[in-house]
Amino acid sequence: MWILSKIYVVGIGPGQYEQMTMRAADALRACDTIVGYTVYVELVKEHFADKEFLTTPMTKEAERCRLAFEEAKKGKNVAMICSGDAGVYGMSGLMLEIGAAYPEIEVEVIPGVTAATGGAAVLGAPLIHDFAVISLSDLLTPWEKIEKRLLLAAEADFVICLYNPSSKKRADYLKRACDLMLRHKAPETVCGIVSNIGRDGESCRVLTLLELRDTQTDMFTTVFIGNSQTKEIGGKMVTPRGYRNV
Amino acid sequence: MWILSKIYVVGIGPGQYEQMTMRAADALRACDTIVGYTVYVELVKEHFADKEFLTTPMTKEAERCRLAFEEAKKGKNVAMICSGDAGVYGMSGLMLEIGAAYPEIEVEVIPGVTAATGGAAVLGAPLIHDFAVISLSDLLTPWEKIEKRLLLAAEADFVICLYNPSSKKRADYLKRACDLMLRHKAPETVCGIVSNIGRDGESCRVLTLLELRDTQTDMFTTVFIGNSQTKEIGGKMVTPRGYRNV
């Protein structure tokens, strides 16, 4: 098949430029046009001053994808950038779905550090053993489905990482999630929250599941709930490598 | 507290040098000594020719950690490197545990691209929605615990990413895991396997859960089992963003 041009779907990591992989930076340098949500474009713009930047607002994801493909159809090399990793609640899936209508354009996904692993590094080492990643956003997923996942993941004693723990419209979702997890996890389970990972104002806190229940978070926060073995060591959240010899 | 020196625990990403973040490369350049498992040291050695390299074999993890702290005690800046992300089945937890005995040495964890997200990018976009990461290694975790997690994660309709799917001693573990998941997931569930992510000989394959059951993998393979919505699009494994409007 004749490939007209290429689109890179690039995870830029959790924050500033240096959190990007060298492969991601190389891809952005090789492009003519960089497409993305306004906030993410601002994080990288100064390092790629010679590029054309196109942005669309938060909720216009399908439109943003089509914009990228239409630019590529003109013969340009295009990058679609996402915060963190493009493949974790990111744009790589929608790009491949919409890309089915553009068979002449090749899509290459370039991974990045997602908030789960970026936030884990700030907190210490919460994800050392088996874990589950769950978004509390019920925009595209019914709450009953999210609830079922929270309960089963807690029953399985996974470390659990929550994306989108709350928003203005969903102020009590984290509390609801904690109440569900308290059915299987102890109130003193070691938890952690990280805000603004890798950006100005980065902050973190280690606390118990019971304390987490009454903590207000925002959309820039990632939440970690430990498993039954997770400990606090010198202010850090640490999960052992297994259940034997620990 | 007086900090004598610093240890960076660095995730070098899934493969070659370019898969590392710029922050990780900066940290390695700032060090005197790089400590790691022999195979990972070989992946980065040529790019940091002026450094001292210390290696220990696969099973000597605690020894490797103490080696790093003892070097730092001499006043050297030290990096402990891990494949992928240091916080996902990596060394950052053990470093913080053993580091409790070395309060004068600061430990900073620098995240990297783990095999889950690195492999997902090769396959397409399997992890777009909620997912669970499970290791099939029963070295430190009883198989009954692994079995329970596999069953509950399958019942919750998570996309599931398996690390350490098999080894010489555990040749039939992936088959056993697939049999458990077939209790909750359909035989035609879209799955994917990726080998040698980001390295020479990288390869991937999209297949059904029933086909996966009879596939032999090795310790350099990462396995992905889709959720009920995961599709194959143009040879790629793609999970939609949710259960509504898809």
Side-chain angles (χ1 to χ4, degrees), chain A residues 17-23 85 87 89-90 92-93 96-97 117 121 124-125 127-135 138-142 145 148-149 152 155-157 231 233 242-244, chain B residues 17-23 85 87 89-90 92-93 96-97 109 117 124-125 127-135 138-142 145 148-149 152 155-157 231 242-244:
Chain A
Y17 177 71
E18 291 72 22
Q19 306 259 16
M20 203 184 298
T21 67
M22 290 177 269
R23 187 179 160 209
D85 181 88
Y89 308 109
S92 64
L96 290 166
E97 291 182 74
T117 55
L127 301 183
I128 285 296
H129 204 250
D130 303 342
F131 63 96
V133 177
I134 302 174
S135 168
D138 59 354
L139 199 65
L140 296 172
T141 302
K145 186 98 193 168
K148 185 179 176 189
R149 284 202 176 129
L152 291 167
E155 188 183 346
D157 198 28
K231 301 175 278 192
I233 300 176
Y243 290 76
R244 290 197 185 110
Chain B
Y17 177 70
E18 292 72 22
Q19 306 260 18
M20 204 185 297
T21 68
M22 290 177 271
R23 187 179 161 210
D85 181 89
Y89 308 108
S92 64
L96 290 166
E97 291 182 74
V109 182
T117 57
L127 301 183
I128 285 297
H129 205 251
D130 303 342
F131 64 95
V133 176
I134 302 173
S135 168
D138 60 354
L139 198 64
L140 296 173
T141 302
K145 186 98 194 168
K148 184 179 177 189
R149 285 203 175 127
L152 290 166
E155 187 183 347
D157 198 26
K231 299 175 280 195
Y243 290 76
R244 291 195 183 111

Coordinates of all heavy atoms in Angstrom, one line a residue, chain A residues 17-23 85 87 89-90 92-93 96-97 117 121 124-125 127-135 138-142 145 148-149 152 155-157 231 233 242-244, chain B residues 17-23 85 87 89-90 92-93 96-97 109 117 124-125 127-135 138-142 145 148-149 152 155-157 231 242-244:
Chain A
Y17 N 8.9 18.9 29.7 CA 9.6 18.4 28.5 C 10.6 17.3 28.9 O 10.6 16.2 28.1 CB 10.4 19.6 27.9 CG 11.3 19.3 26.8 CD1 10.7 18.9 25.5 CD2 12.7 19.3 26.9 CE1 11.5 18.6 24.5 CE2 13.5 19.0 25.8 CZ 12.9 18.6 24.6 OH 13.7 18.3 23.5
E18 N 11.3 17.3 29.9 CA 12.3 16.3 30.3 C 11.7 15.0 30.6 O 12.4 14.0 30.7 CB 13.2 16.8 31.4 CG 14.1 18.0 31.1 CD 13.4 19.3 31.0 OE1 12.2 19.4 31.5 OE2 13.9 20.2 30.3
Q19 N 10.4 14.9 30.9 CA 9.7 13.7 31.2 C 9.4 12.9 29.9 O 8.8 11.8 30.0 CB 8.4 14.0 32.0 CG 8.6 14.8 33.2 CD 8.7 14.0 34.4 OE1 8.8 12.8 34.4 NE2 8.5 14.7 35.6
M20 N 9.7 13.5 28.8 CA 9.4 12.8 27.5 C 10.5 11.8 27.2 O 11.7 12.1 27.6 CB 9.3 13.9 26.4 CG 8.5 13.6 25.2 SD 8.7 14.9 24.0 CE 7.9 16.3 24.9
T21 N 10.3 10.8 26.4 CA 11.4 9.9 26.0 C 12.1 10.6 24.8 O 11.5 11.5 24.2 CB 10.9 8.5 25.5 OG1 10.1 8.7 24.3 CG2 10.0 7.8 26.6
M22 N 13.3 10.2 24.6 CA 14.1 10.7 23.5 C 13.4 10.4 22.2 O 13.4 11.2 21.2 CB 15.5 10.2 23.6 CG 16.3 10.8 24.7 SD 17.9 10.2 24.9 CE 17.6 8.8 26.0
R23 N 12.8 9.2 22.1 CA 12.1 8.8 20.9 C 10.9 9.7 20.6 O 10.7 10.0 19.5 CB 11.6 7.3 21.1 CG 11.1 6.7 19.9 CD 10.6 5.3 20.1 NE 9.7 4.9 19.1 CZ 8.7 4.0 19.3 NH1 8.6 3.3 20.5 NH2 7.9 3.7 18.3
D85 N 0.8 8.8 28.7 CA 0.9 7.8 27.7 C -0.3 7.8 26.8 O -1.4 7.9 27.3 CB 1.1 6.4 28.3 CG 1.2 5.3 27.2 OD1 2.4 5.1 26.8 OD2 0.2 4.8 26.7
G87 N -1.7 5.7 25.2 CA -2.5 4.5 25.2 C -3.2 4.2 26.5 O -3.9 3.2 26.6
Y89 N -6.1 5.8 28.7 CA -7.2 6.8 28.6 C -6.8 7.9 27.7 O -7.1 9.1 27.9 CB -7.5 7.4 30.0 CG -7.8 6.3 31.0 CD1 -6.9 6.0 32.1 CD2 -8.9 5.6 31.0 CE1 -7.1 5.0 33.0 CE2 -9.2 4.6 31.9 CZ -8.3 4.3 32.9 OH -8.6 3.3 33.8
G90 N -6.0 7.6 26.6 CA -5.5 8.6 25.7 C -6.1 8.5 24.3 O -7.1 7.9 24.1
S92 N -4.7 7.2 21.4 CA -4.2 6.2 20.4 C -5.3 5.3 19.9 O -5.4 5.0 18.7 CB -3.0 5.4 20.9 OG -3.4 4.6 22.0
G93 N -6.3 5.0 20.8 CA -7.4 4.1 20.3 C -8.3 4.8 19.3 O -8.6 4.2 18.3
L96 N -6.7 5.1 16.0 CA -6.7 3.9 15.2 C -8.1 3.6 14.7 O -8.3 3.1 13.5 CB -6.1 2.7 16.0 CG -4.6 2.8 16.2 CD1 -4.2 1.8 17.3 CD2 -3.8 2.6 15.0
E97 N -9.1 3.9 15.5 CA -10.5 3.7 15.0 C -10.8 4.7 13.8 O -11.3 4.2 12.8 CB -11.5 4.0 16.2 CG -11.4 2.9 17.3 CD -12.5 3.2 18.4 OE1 -13.6 2.9 18.1 OE2 -12.1 3.6 19.5
T117 N 2.6 5.4 36.7 CA 4.0 5.2 37.0 C 4.7 6.4 37.4 O 5.6 6.4 38.2 CB 4.7 4.4 35.9 OG1 4.6 5.2 34.6 CG2 4.1 3.0 35.7
A121 N 6.4 7.0 41.2 CA 7.7 7.4 41.5 C 7.8 8.5 42.5 O 8.7 8.6 43.3 CB 8.5 7.8 40.2
G124 N 6.9 6.9 46.0 CA 7.8 5.9 46.4 C 7.8 4.7 45.5 O 8.3 4.8 44.4
A125 N 7.1 3.6 45.9 CA 7.0 2.4 45.1 C 5.7 1.7 45.3 O 5.7 0.5 45.7 CB 8.2 1.5 45.3
L127 N 3.4 0.6 43.2 CA 2.9 -0.4 42.1 C 3.9 -1.5 41.9 O 3.8 -2.1 40.8 CB 2.7 0.4 40.8 CG 1.7 1.6 40.8 CD1 1.6 2.1 39.4 CD2 0.3 1.1 41.3
I128 N 4.7 -1.8 42.9 CA 5.7 -2.9 42.7 C 5.1 -4.2 42.3 O 5.7 -5.1 41.7 CB 6.6 -3.0 44.0 CG1 7.5 -1.8 44.0 CG2 7.3 -4.3 44.0 CD1 8.6 -1.8 42.9
H129 N 3.9 -4.5 42.8 CA 3.3 -5.8 42.6 C 2.0 -5.6 41.8 O 1.6 -4.4 41.4 CB 3.0 -6.5 43.9 CG 2.9 -8.0 43.8 ND1 1.8 -8.6 44.0 CD2 3.8 -8.9 43.4 CE1 2.0 -9.9 43.8 NE2 3.2 -10.1 43.4
D130 N 1.2 -6.6 41.5 CA 0.0 -6.6 40.7 C -0.9 -5.4 41.0 O -1.1 -5.1 42.2 CB -0.8 -7.8 40.9 CG 0.0 -9.1 40.5 OD1 1.0 -9.0 39.9 OD2 -0.4 -10.2 41.0
F131 N -1.4 -4.7 40.0 CA -2.2 -3.5 40.2 C -3.3 -3.4 39.2 O -3.2 -4.0 38.1 CB -1.4 -2.2 40.3 CG -0.6 -1.9 39.1 CD1 -1.2 -1.0 38.2 CD2 0.6 -2.4 38.8 CE1 -0.5 -0.6 37.0 CE2 1.3 -2.1 37.6 CZ 0.8 -1.2 36.7
A132 N -4.3 -2.6 39.5 CA -5.4 -2.3 38.6 C -5.5 -0.8 38.4 O -5.3 0.0 39.4 CB -6.7 -2.8 39.1
V133 N -5.8 -0.3 37.2 CA -6.0 1.1 36.9 C -7.4 1.3 36.6 O -8.0 0.6 35.7 CB -5.0 1.5 35.8 CG1 -5.3 3.0 35.4 CG2 -3.6 1.3 36.1
I134 N -8.1 2.2 37.3 CA -9.5 2.4 37.1 C -9.8 3.9 37.0 O -9.3 4.7 37.8 CB -10.4 1.8 38.3 CG1 -10.1 0.3 38.4 CG2 -11.9 2.1 38.1 CD1 -10.7 -0.3 39.6
S135 N -10.6 4.3 36.0 CA -11.0 5.7 35.9 C -12.4 5.9 36.6 O -13.3 5.1 36.4 CB -11.1 6.2 34.5 OG -11.8 7.4 34.4
D138 N -17.5 8.7 34.7 CA -18.6 8.0 34.1 C -19.2 8.6 32.9 O -20.4 8.4 32.5 CB -19.7 7.7 35.2 CG -20.3 9.0 35.7 OD1 -19.8 10.1 35.4 OD2 -21.3 9.0 36.5
L139 N -18.4 9.4 32.2 CA -18.8 10.0 31.0 C -19.2 9.0 29.9 O -20.2 9.0 29.2 CB -17.7 11.0 30.5 CG -18.1 12.0 29.5 CD1 -19.1 13.0 30.1 CD2 -16.9 12.8 28.9
L140 N -18.3 8.0 29.7 CA -18.5 7.0 28.7 C -18.7 5.6 29.3 O -18.9 4.6 28.5 CB -17.3 6.9 27.8 CG -17.0 8.2 26.9 CD1 -15.7 8.1 26.2 CD2 -18.1 8.4 25.9
T141 N -18.6 5.4 30.6 CA -18.8 4.1 31.3 C -19.9 4.3 32.4 O -19.8 5.1 33.2 CB -17.5 3.7 31.9 OG1 -16.5 3.6 30.8 CG2 -17.6 2.3 32.5
P142 N -20.9 3.4 32.4 CA -21.9 3.5 33.4 C -21.3 3.3 34.8 O -20.4 2.5 35.0 CB -22.8 2.3 33.1 CG -22.5 1.9 31.7 CD -21.1 2.3 31.5
K145 N -20.8 -0.2 36.3 CA -19.6 -1.0 35.8 C -18.4 -0.6 36.6 O -17.6 -1.4 36.9 CB -19.4 -0.6 34.3 CG -18.4 -1.4 33.6 CD -19.0 -2.5 32.8 CE -17.9 -3.4 32.3 NZ -18.5 -4.7 31.8
K148 N -18.6 -2.1 40.0 CA -18.3 -3.6 40.0 C -16.7 -3.8 39.9 O -16.2 -4.6 40.6 CB -18.9 -4.2 38.8 CG -18.8 -5.7 38.7 CD -19.5 -6.3 37.5 CE -19.2 -7.8 37.4 NZ -19.7 -8.4 36.2
R149 N -16.1 -3.0 39.1 CA -14.6 -3.1 39.0 C -13.9 -2.8 40.3 O -13.0 -3.4 40.7 CB -14.1 -2.2 37.9 CG -14.4 -2.7 36.5 CD -13.5 -2.2 35.5 NE -13.8 -2.8 34.2 CZ -14.0 -2.2 33.1 NH1 -13.9 -0.9 33.0 NH2 -14.3 -2.9 32.0
L152 N -14.4 -5.7 42.8 CA -13.7 -6.9 42.4 C -12.2 -6.7 42.6 O -11.4 -7.6 43.0 CB -14.0 -7.4 41.0 CG -15.5 -8.0 40.9 CD1 -15.9 -8.1 39.4 CD2 -15.6 -9.3 41.6
E155 N -11.4 -6.8 46.2 CA -11.5 -8.2 46.7 C -10.2 -9.0 46.3 O -9.8 -9.9 47.0 CB -12.8 -8.9 46.1 CG -13.0 -10.3 46.7 CD -14.2 -11.0 46.1 OE1 -15.0 -10.3 45.4 OE2 -14.3 -12.2 46.3
A156 N -9.7 -8.7 45.1 CA -8.5 -9.4 44.6 C -7.2 -8.9 45.3 O -6.1 -9.4 45.0 CB -8.4 -9.2 43.1
D157 N -7.3 -7.9 46.2 CA -6.2 -7.3 46.9 C -5.1 -6.7 45.9 O -3.9 -6.7 46.1 CB -5.5 -8.3 47.8 CG -4.6 -7.7 48.8 OD1 -4.8 -6.5 49.2 OD2 -3.6 -8.3 49.3
K231 N 3.2 -0.7 52.8 CA 3.7 0.0 54.0 C 4.1 1.4 53.8 O 4.3 1.8 52.6 CB 5.0 -0.8 54.5 CG 4.8 -2.2 54.7 CD 6.1 -2.9 55.1 CE 7.0 -3.2 53.8 NZ 8.1 -4.1 54.1
I233 N 7.2 3.7 54.6 CA 8.6 3.7 55.0 C 9.2 5.1 54.8 O 9.3 5.5 53.7 CB 9.4 2.7 54.2 CG1 8.9 1.2 54.3 CG2 10.9 2.7 54.6 CD1 9.6 0.2 53.4
G242 N 6.1 -9.3 46.8 CA 5.2 -10.4 46.8 C 4.7 -10.7 48.2 O 4.8 -9.8 49.1
Y243 N 4.2 -11.9 48.5 CA 3.6 -12.2 49.7 C 4.5 -13.2 50.6 O 4.2 -13.5 51.7 CB 2.3 -12.9 49.5 CG 1.3 -11.8 49.0 CD1 1.3 -11.4 47.7 CD2 0.3 -11.3 49.9 CE1 0.5 -10.4 47.2 CE2 -0.5 -10.3 49.4 CZ -0.5 -9.9 48.1 OH -1.3 -8.9 47.7
R244 N 5.6 -13.6 49.9 CA 6.5 -14.5 50.6 C 7.8 -13.8 50.9 O 8.2 -12.9 50.2 CB 6.9 -15.7 49.7 CG 5.8 -16.7 49.5 CD 6.4 -18.0 49.0 NE 5.3 -18.9 48.6 CZ 5.0 -19.3 47.4 NH1 5.6 -18.8 46.4 NH2 4.0 -20.1 47.2
Chain B
Y17 N 18.3 2.7 24.1 CA 18.6 4.0 24.7 C 17.5 5.1 24.4 O 17.1 5.8 25.3 CB 19.9 4.5 24.1 CG 20.4 5.8 24.6 CD1 20.8 6.1 25.9 CD2 20.4 6.9 23.7 CE1 21.2 7.3 26.3 CE2 20.9 8.2 24.1 CZ 21.2 8.4 25.4 OH 21.6 9.6 25.8
E18 N 17.0 5.2 23.2 CA 16.0 6.3 22.9 C 14.7 6.1 23.6 O 13.9 7.0 23.6 CB 15.8 6.3 21.3 CG 17.0 6.7 20.5 CD 18.1 5.7 20.5 OE1 17.8 4.5 20.7 OE2 19.3 6.1 20.2
Q19 N 14.4 4.9 24.2 CA 13.2 4.7 24.9 C 13.2 5.3 26.3 O 12.3 5.2 27.1 CB 12.9 3.2 25.0 CG 12.9 2.5 23.6 CD 11.5 2.3 23.1 OE1 10.5 2.9 23.5 NE2 11.4 1.4 22.1
M20 N 14.4 5.8 26.7 CA 14.6 6.4 28.0 C 14.0 7.8 28.0 O 14.1 8.5 26.9 CB 16.1 6.4 28.3 CG 16.5 6.4 29.7 SD 18.3 6.6 29.9 CE 18.9 5.1 29.2
T21 N 13.6 8.3 29.1 CA 13.2 9.8 29.2 C 14.5 10.6 29.2 O 15.5 10.1 29.7 CB 12.3 10.1 30.4 OG1 13.1 10.0 31.6 CG2 11.1 9.2 30.5
M22 N 14.3 11.9 28.9 CA 15.5 12.8 29.0 C 15.9 13.0 30.4 O 17.1 13.0 30.7 CB 15.1 14.1 28.3 CG 15.0 14.0 26.8 SD 14.5 15.5 26.0 CE 12.7 15.3 26.0
R23 N 14.9 12.9 31.3 CA 15.2 13.1 32.8 C 16.1 11.9 33.2 O 17.0 12.0 34.0 CB 13.9 13.1 33.5 CG 14.1 13.4 35.0 CD 12.7 13.5 35.7 NE 12.9 13.3 37.1 CZ 12.0 12.8 37.9 NH1 10.8 12.4 37.5 NH2 12.3 12.7 39.2
D85 N 10.0 0.4 33.9 CA 9.8 1.3 35.0 C 10.3 0.7 36.3 O 9.9 -0.5 36.5 CB 8.3 1.7 35.1 CG 8.1 2.7 36.2 OD1 8.2 3.9 35.9 OD2 7.8 2.3 37.3
G87 N 9.4 1.0 39.1 CA 8.3 0.9 40.1 C 7.3 -0.2 39.7 O 6.3 -0.4 40.5
Y89 N 7.1 -4.1 39.2 CA 8.0 -5.3 39.4 C 9.4 -5.0 39.3 O 10.3 -5.8 38.9 CB 7.6 -6.4 38.3 CG 6.1 -6.7 38.3 CD1 5.4 -6.3 37.2 CD2 5.5 -7.4 39.3 CE1 4.0 -6.5 37.1 CE2 4.1 -7.6 39.3 CZ 3.4 -7.2 38.2 OH 2.0 -7.5 38.1
G90 N 9.8 -3.8 39.7 CA 11.2 -3.3 39.6 C 11.8 -3.2 41.0 O 11.4 -3.7 42.0
S92 N 12.6 -0.3 42.8 CA 12.4 0.9 43.6 C 11.9 0.6 45.0 O 12.3 1.2 46.0 CB 11.5 1.9 42.9 OG 10.2 1.5 42.7
G93 N 11.0 -0.5 45.1 CA 10.5 -0.8 46.4 C 11.5 -1.4 47.3 O 11.7 -0.9 48.5
L96 N 13.9 1.3 48.6 CA 13.4 2.1 49.7 C 13.3 1.2 51.0 O 13.5 1.8 52.0 CB 12.0 2.6 49.3 CG 12.0 3.7 48.2 CD1 10.6 4.0 47.7 CD2 12.6 5.0 48.7
E97 N 13.0 -0.1 50.9 CA 13.0 -0.9 52.0 C 14.5 -1.0 52.6 O 14.7 -0.8 53.8 CB 12.5 -2.3 51.7 CG 11.0 -2.3 51.4 CD 10.5 -3.7 51.1 OE1 10.4 -4.5 52.0 OE2 10.3 -4.1 49.9
V109 N 13.3 8.3 42.7 CA 12.9 7.3 41.7 C 12.5 8.1 40.4 O 11.8 9.0 40.5 CB 11.6 6.5 42.2 CG1 11.2 5.5 41.2 CG2 11.9 5.8 43.5
T117 N 2.8 -0.4 28.8 CA 2.5 0.7 27.9 C 3.4 0.6 26.7 O 2.9 1.0 25.6 CB 2.6 2.1 28.6 OG1 3.9 2.2 29.2 CG2 1.6 2.2 29.7
G124 N -1.1 -1.5 19.3 CA -2.1 -0.6 18.9 C -2.5 0.2 20.1 O -1.8 1.1 20.5
A125 N -3.7 -0.1 20.7 CA -4.2 0.6 21.8 C -5.0 -0.3 22.7 O -6.2 0.0 23.0 CB -5.0 1.8 21.4
L127 N -4.8 -0.8 26.0 CA -5.0 -0.4 27.4 C -5.8 0.9 27.6 O -5.7 1.6 28.6 CB -3.7 -0.2 28.1 CG -2.8 -1.5 28.2 CD1 -1.5 -1.2 29.0 CD2 -3.5 -2.7 28.8
I128 N -6.5 1.3 26.6 CA -7.2 2.6 26.6 C -8.2 2.8 27.7 O -8.4 3.9 28.2 CB -8.0 2.8 25.2 CG1 -7.0 3.1 24.1 CG2 -9.1 3.9 25.3 CD1 -6.2 4.4 24.3
H129 N -8.7 1.7 28.2 CA -9.7 1.7 29.3 C -9.1 0.9 30.5 O -8.0 0.4 30.4 CB -11.0 1.2 28.8 CG -12.2 1.8 29.6 ND1 -12.9 1.0 30.5 CD2 -12.7 3.0 29.7 CE1 -13.8 1.8 31.1 NE2 -13.7 3.0 30.6
D130 N -9.9 0.9 31.6 CA -9.4 0.2 32.8 C -8.7 -1.1 32.6 O -9.2 -1.9 31.8 CB -10.6 0.0 33.7 CG -11.4 1.2 34.0 OD1 -10.9 2.3 33.9 OD2 -12.6 1.1 34.5
F131 N -7.6 -1.3 33.3 CA -6.8 -2.5 33.1 C -6.2 -3.0 34.4 O -6.0 -2.2 35.3 CB -5.8 -2.3 32.0 CG -4.7 -1.3 32.3 CD1 -3.5 -1.7 32.8 CD2 -4.9 0.0 32.0 CE1 -2.5 -0.8 33.0 CE2 -3.9 0.9 32.2 CZ -2.7 0.6 32.8
A132 N -5.8 -4.3 34.4 CA -5.1 -4.9 35.5 C -3.8 -5.4 35.0 O -3.7 -6.0 33.9 CB -5.9 -6.0 36.1
V133 N -2.8 -5.3 35.8 CA -1.4 -5.9 35.5 C -1.1 -7.0 36.5 O -1.2 -6.8 37.7 CB -0.4 -4.8 35.5 CG1 1.0 -5.3 35.3 CG2 -0.7 -3.6 34.5
I134 N -0.9 -8.2 36.0 CA -0.7 -9.3 36.8 C 0.6 -10.1 36.4 O 0.8 -10.3 35.2 CB -1.9 -10.3 36.8 CG1 -3.2 -9.6 37.2 CG2 -1.7 -11.5 37.7 CD1 -4.4 -10.4 37.0
S135 N 1.5 -10.4 37.3 CA 2.6 -11.3 37.0 C 2.3 -12.7 37.3 O 1.7 -13.0 38.3 CB 3.8 -10.9 37.9 OG 4.8 -11.8 37.8
D138 N 5.3 -17.2 40.3 CA 4.9 -17.5 41.7 C 6.2 -17.7 42.6 O 6.1 -18.4 43.6 CB 4.1 -18.8 41.7 CG 4.8 -20.0 41.0 OD1 5.9 -19.8 40.5 OD2 4.2 -21.1 41.1
L139 N 7.2 -17.0 42.2 CA 8.4 -17.1 43.1 C 8.2 -16.5 44.4 O 8.6 -17.0 45.5 CB 9.6 -16.3 42.3 CG 11.0 -16.6 42.8 CD1 11.4 -18.0 42.5 CD2 12.0 -15.6 42.1
L140 N 7.5 -15.3 44.5 CA 7.3 -14.6 45.8 C 5.8 -14.6 46.1 O 5.4 -14.0 47.1 CB 7.9 -13.2 45.7 CG 9.4 -13.1 45.6 CD1 9.8 -11.7 45.4 CD2 10.1 -13.7 46.8
T141 N 4.9 -15.0 45.2 CA 3.5 -15.0 45.4 C 2.9 -16.4 45.2 O 3.1 -17.0 44.2 CB 2.8 -14.0 44.5 OG1 3.4 -12.7 44.7 CG2 1.3 -13.8 44.7
P142 N 2.1 -16.9 46.2 CA 1.5 -18.2 46.0 C 0.6 -18.2 44.8 O -0.1 -17.2 44.5 CB 0.7 -18.4 47.3 CG 1.1 -17.4 48.2 CD 1.7 -16.2 47.4
K145 N -3.1 -17.1 45.0 CA -3.3 -15.7 45.0 C -3.4 -15.2 43.6 O -4.2 -14.3 43.2 CB -2.2 -15.0 45.8 CG -2.3 -13.6 46.0 CD -2.8 -13.3 47.4 CE -3.3 -11.9 47.5 NZ -4.1 -11.6 48.7
K148 N -6.7 -16.3 42.0 CA -7.8 -15.5 42.5 C -7.8 -14.1 41.7 O -8.9 -13.7 41.3 CB -7.7 -15.2 44.0 CG -8.8 -14.5 44.6 CD -8.7 -14.3 46.1 CE -9.9 -13.5 46.7 NZ -9.7 -13.1 48.1
R149 N -6.7 -13.5 41.6 CA -6.6 -12.2 40.9 C -7.0 -12.4 39.4 O -7.7 -11.5 38.9 CB -5.2 -11.7 40.9 CG -4.9 -11.1 42.3 CD -3.8 -10.1 42.2 NE -3.6 -9.5 43.5 CZ -2.5 -9.5 44.2 NH1 -1.3 -9.9 43.7 NH2 -2.4 -8.9 45.4
L152 N -10.9 -12.8 39.3 CA -11.7 -11.5 39.7 C -11.4 -10.5 38.6 O -12.4 -9.7 38.2 CB -11.3 -11.0 41.0 CG -11.7 -11.9 42.2 CD1 -11.0 -11.5 43.5 CD2 -13.3 -11.8 42.4
E155 N -13.6 -11.4 35.7 CA -15.0 -11.2 36.0 C -15.3 -9.7 35.9 O -16.4 -9.3 35.5 CB -15.3 -11.7 37.4 CG -16.8 -11.6 37.8 CD -17.1 -12.1 39.2 OE1 -16.2 -12.7 39.9 OE2 -18.2 -11.8 39.7
A156 N -14.4 -8.8 36.3 CA -14.6 -7.4 36.2 C -14.4 -6.8 34.8 O -14.6 -5.6 34.6 CB -13.5 -6.7 37.2
D157 N -14.2 -7.7 33.8 CA -14.0 -7.2 32.4 C -12.9 -6.2 32.3 O -13.0 -5.3 31.4 CB -15.3 -6.7 31.9 CG -15.3 -6.7 30.3 OD1 -14.6 -7.5 29.7 OD2 -16.1 -5.8 29.8
K231 N -11.4 -4.7 20.1 CA -11.5 -5.1 18.7 C -10.2 -5.2 18.0 O -9.2 -4.7 18.4 CB -12.3 -4.0 17.9 CG -13.7 -3.7 18.5 CD -14.3 -2.5 17.7 CE -13.8 -1.2 18.3 NZ -14.7 0.0 17.8
G242 N -14.8 3.5 26.3 CA -15.8 3.2 27.3 C -16.9 2.3 26.7 O -16.6 1.7 25.7
Y243 N -18.0 2.3 27.4 CA -19.0 1.3 27.0 C -20.2 2.0 26.3 O -21.1 1.4 25.8 CB -19.5 0.5 28.2 CG -18.4 -0.4 28.7 CD1 -17.3 0.0 29.4 CD2 -18.5 -1.8 28.3 CE1 -16.3 -0.9 29.8 CE2 -17.6 -2.6 28.7 CZ -16.5 -2.2 29.4 OH -15.5 -3.1 29.8
R244 N -20.2 3.4 26.3 CA -21.2 4.2 25.7 C -20.7 4.8 24.4 O -19.5 5.2 24.3 CB -21.7 5.3 26.6 CG -22.4 4.9 27.9 CD -23.1 6.1 28.5 NE -23.7 5.7 29.7 CZ -23.3 6.1 30.9 NH1 -22.3 6.9 31.1 NH2 -24.0 5.7 32.0

